[in-house]
């Protein structure tokens, strides 16, 4: 359950009251918008240290790009 929120000005007077229905609507709109932006692969690729890549390149030469 979401409760209404009262926004108060710096002088202490009431600026705005946001109803629980409006807050709930705002929450779900944001939730669905964020869900649409999630892809199958959301995590970035882990970076391989240079020394690991060099050692793998020495042990397993790339036959596709070697030109033979």
């Amino acid at each position: 359950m979401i409760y209404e929120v009262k926004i108060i000005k710096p002088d202490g007077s009431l600026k705005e009251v946001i109803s629980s229905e409006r807050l709930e609507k705002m929450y779900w709109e944001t939730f669905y918008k964020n869900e649409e932006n999630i892809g199958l692969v959301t995590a970035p690729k882990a970076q391989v240290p240079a020394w690991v890549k060099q050692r793998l390149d020495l042990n397993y030469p790339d036959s596709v790009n070697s030109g033979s």
Side-chain angles (χ1 to χ4, degrees):
M1 174 164 207
I2 300 175
Y3 296 99
E4 74 178 17
V5 173
K6 295 179 182 177
I7 300 173
I8 300 177
K9 295 179 188 177
D11 64 359
S13 62
L14 183 64
K15 178 178 180 179
E16 182 181 2
V17 177
I18 303 175
S19 69
S20 60
E21 291 83 13
R22 183 172 164 209
L23 286 170
E24 187 174 346
K25 182 179 179 186
M26 290 168 49
Y27 171 81
W28 286 112
E29 285 174 357
T30 305
F31 175 81
Y32 288 125
K33 186 188 309 181
N34 290 338
E35 283 292 310
E36 289 174 1
N37 293 332
I38 295 175
L40 291 176
V41 181
T42 57
K45 281 188 171 180
Q47 295 294 324
V48 177
W51 67 270
V52 173
K53 181 166 179 11
Q54 290 171 354
R55 183 171 291 169
L56 288 172
D57 287 344
L58 288 174
N59 292 336
Y60 305 100
D62 186 12
S63 62
V64 175
N65 294 327
S66 65
S68 5

